Amino acid sequence: MILNAKQRQAIAKLKKLRVGALFMEPGTGKTLTAIKIIESSDTDFCLFIVPFQSKGNFERELKKWSFRIDYQIVGVESLSNSDKLYLDLLLKITKYQHPFVVVDESLKIKNKDAKRTQRVIEIGKQAYYRLIMNGTPVSKNIVDLWTQMQFLSPKILGMSENQFKDTFIEYVKINSHGKTQEIIKKYWNMKYLYSLIDPYVFDAKLKINVSMQEINVDYEIADTTKYYQLKEQMLHSIGFMNDIQFLAYTQQMQQSYSTDSNKLKAVSALVNKLEEPTILFCKFVNTQAVLERKFPNCKVLTYGKGALGLNLQKYKNMIFVDKTWDYAQLEQAKRRIYRIGQDSNVKYYELTGNVGLEKLMNRSISNKSTMLNLFKEASNKKEFINEF
């Protein structure tokens, strides 16, 4: 096998350490890089913690590169669902002298209060070596970094989450109906933050000799009745709504026009124009079923499952039928075709409907902002609410 320059640089830097982060964009070959880092150590067992849906693909990658160290692959979601699995892993890892724990798609452990995050960190404490891998270190804001660094070692940042926020974030706390919400205004001390994590991080951008073109396609939703009904319900509740409740409302609003007749016509026009195999990305299971029925020659994927672990370089075009709030998820989806091994220019077509939610989601991706904070900030502007 021939390693590229970025892979060699990453291995040279991180093989000297017992903890490290591979923030390598999808398509840059981070799995092979991780394998070489692991093989350069004296580990006698490696535990790979990966998204459940990518276990099979990860297993194939290990076999492809003839990985011969004793290992086990577990789905990160399974750690929160199975007490037995968690306890078995804690016991198993203590039986080895130099166990190595690798967390792939480490943004899955960004929430410090989630059971799976707490369990991954506890397992990591028993490991001699620890490595995290992700295409980007953050998906919404820099707080995503805190738990990832805690897994590697609390000594890297040397501060609690609250201290982290006070050091690097300017925010205001708003009390509403007995609940406290934190609104991020801006970040500061970024050079200091980078100086803390830089010794343990390798960050690689994908550079290949093909171009990437992003094209927006506007369309007019045929029936917005349900959308505006849900919008009115949400606006009456926004003052005391948390992120989960907000997401539930916007999911319903988005789903109300996910298979709109005009939207499907826009997809059909694009598919016919491209005249070659195309990937359609959507958000909802029922939308996936409709698209698969109407466009049998296209590959239809959902963000949750299709955005991870697939190598689809034979495709050159991708249509985003539904939008997503999650910046990291969108980037993962794009890198299914824009990656090492792609030999043609690629094009992304993003459908945008004529409702305010679509504009808000575009802004969220552009700003990498939290959904609810962005909405509350925007809700102070009357003209934006009228558009929404």
Side-chain angles (χ1 to χ4, degrees):
M1 76 195 68
I2 300 176
L3 300 172
N4 62 43
K6 290 294 184 182
Q7 289 173 316
R8 293 195 299 272
Q9 291 170 19
I11 295 165
K13 180 175 183 177
L14 297 186
K15 73 177 184 179
K16 304 171 185 177
L17 307 173
R18 287 174 51 188
V19 301
L22 282 176
F23 292 137
M24 299 175 68
E25 288 187 347
T28 54
K30 67 178 183 291
T31 302
L32 176 57
T33 305
I35 287 172
K36 292 304 174 184
I37 291 171
I38 297 164
E39 290 177 340
S40 71
S41 73
D42 60 351
T43 185
D44 46 353
F45 172 73
C46 190
L47 174 64
F48 295 99
I49 302 175
V50 306
F52 183 82
Q53 66 266 30
S54 66
K55 284 179 61 179
N57 188 67
F58 205 93
E59 178 83 45
R60 287 188 289 273
E61 283 287 297
L62 294 180
K63 290 180 178 178
K64 174 183 176 181
W65 301 116
S66 302
F67 187 72
R68 305 202 181 282
I69 296 168
D70 187 20
Y71 70 89
Q72 182 174 346
I73 304 173
V74 299
V76 66
E77 298 87 352
S78 302
L79 286 175
S80 57
N81 297 330
S82 173
D83 294 342
K84 183 179 185 301
L85 174 63
Y86 169 59
L87 294 174
D88 286 348
L89 289 173
L90 276 178
L91 178 61
K92 181 175 184 177
I93 205 167
T94 60
K95 295 180 179 179
Y96 294 88
Q97 187 173 5
H98 293 141
F100 206 131
V101 175
V102 177
V103 180
D104 188 28
E105 305 300 339
S106 57
L107 280 174
K108 292 284 187 181
I109 60 167
K110 67 185 180 184
N111 181 1
K112 72 177 180 64
D113 297 318
K115 183 186 288 186
R116 68 184 178 196
T117 300
Q118 295 169 358
R119 290 184 168 183
V120 168
I121 289 175
E122 287 303 310
I123 290 172
K125 289 177 181 178
Q126 308 303 317
Y128 189 79
Y129 299 102
R130 293 180 288 280
L131 180 71
I132 59 175
M133 300 192 293
N134 210 76
T136 176
V138 300
S139 65
K140 293 182 180 177
N141 60 64
I142 63 167
V143 181
D144 296 346
L145 271 174
W146 187 81
T147 47
Q148 295 178 79
M149 294 301 115
Q150 284 295 107
F151 166 78
L152 293 180
S153 173
K155 295 179 181 179
I156 294 175
L157 294 174
M159 59 186 76
S160 67
E161 185 185 40
N162 286 335
Q163 290 172 327
F164 181 87
K165 290 178 181 178
D166 291 340
T167 304
F168 302 112
I169 301 172
E170 181 181 340
Y171 59 93
V172 294
K173 292 184 178 182
I174 298 176
N175 292 312
S176 177
H177 298 269
K179 295 182 179 179
T180 300
Q181 298 282 348
E182 294 179 350
I183 309 296
I184 294 175
K185 296 179 67 177
K186 68 178 182 180
Y187 302 124
W188 52 21
N189 297 328
M190 290 294 98
K191 287 185 179 179
Y192 175 49
L193 174 57
Y194 186 78
S195 71
L196 293 176
I197 68 172
D198 180 58
Y200 310 96
V201 168
F202 184 84
D203 190 353
K205 305 297 182 184
L206 177 61
K207 293 182 179 180
I208 55 178
N209 293 321
V210 300
S211 68
M212 176 198 300
Q213 185 177 4
E214 297 179 341
I215 303 163
N216 186 68
V217 178
D218 293 317
Y219 72 97
E220 186 170 328
I221 299 170
D223 185 0
T224 56
T225 305
K226 182 65 173 177
Y227 171 86
Y228 284 112
Q229 289 175 348
L230 290 165
K231 168 194 166 181
E232 289 304 314
Q233 294 175 23
M234 187 182 73
L235 292 178
H236 285 304
S237 306
I238 190 64
F240 53 88
M241 192 180 295
N242 60 33
D243 274 356
I244 296 175
Q245 293 166 327
F246 177 81
L247 180 60
Y249 262 114
T250 57
Q251 292 272 61
Q252 293 178 62
M253 293 167 69
Q254 190 180 10
Q255 193 165 13
S256 72
Y257 59 85
S258 182
T259 56
D260 179 84
S261 59
N262 283 353
K263 188 177 193 177
L264 293 177
K265 288 178 183 177
V267 176
S268 181
L270 282 173
V271 170
N272 292 336
K273 168 187 166 184
L274 296 172
E275 295 182 342
E276 58 184 358
T278 300
I279 297 175
L280 307 181
F281 256 100
C282 62
K283 194 170 189 177
F284 308 101
V285 173
N286 66 313
T287 308
Q288 183 179 23
V290 170
L291 293 174
E292 287 175 339
R293 185 170 63 252
K294 290 185 68 66
F295 306 104
N297 294 328
C298 294
K299 188 174 188 66
V300 183
L301 300 172
T302 58
Y303 288 106
K305 187 174 182 179
L308 295 173
L310 297 177
N311 300 322
L312 302 172
Q313 297 95 322
K314 68 178 182 179
Y315 293 90
K316 321 303 177 191
N317 301 293
M318 186 176 287
I319 301 173
F320 294 104
V321 180
D322 295 323
K323 295 184 184 297
T324 176
W325 289 108
D326 194 321
Y327 170 80
Q329 196 175 66
L330 179 62
E331 287 302 299
Q332 284 280 3
K334 290 178 178 178
R335 302 307 172 149
R336 295 311 97 209
I337 62 174
Y338 188 78
R339 58 194 300 117
I340 293 174
Q342 179 60 268
D343 55 8
S344 299
N345 297 332
V346 301
K347 292 183 179 179
Y348 303 109
Y349 298 85
E350 182 174 355
L351 271 64
T352 299
N354 61 326
V355 290
L357 179 61
E358 298 274 286
K359 298 174 185 177
L360 188 65
M361 295 179 83
N362 282 344
R363 286 180 59 190
S364 177
I365 289 294
S366 177
N367 298 336
K368 304 177 193 176
S369 176
T370 63
M371 300 173 293
L372 186 58
N373 290 349
L374 181 64
F375 183 84
K376 287 187 173 179
E377 176 185 315
S379 67
N380 293 324
K381 303 175 183 177
K382 185 176 180 180
E383 68 275 11
F384 186 85
I385 284 296
N386 290 337
E387 290 180 6
F388 182 74

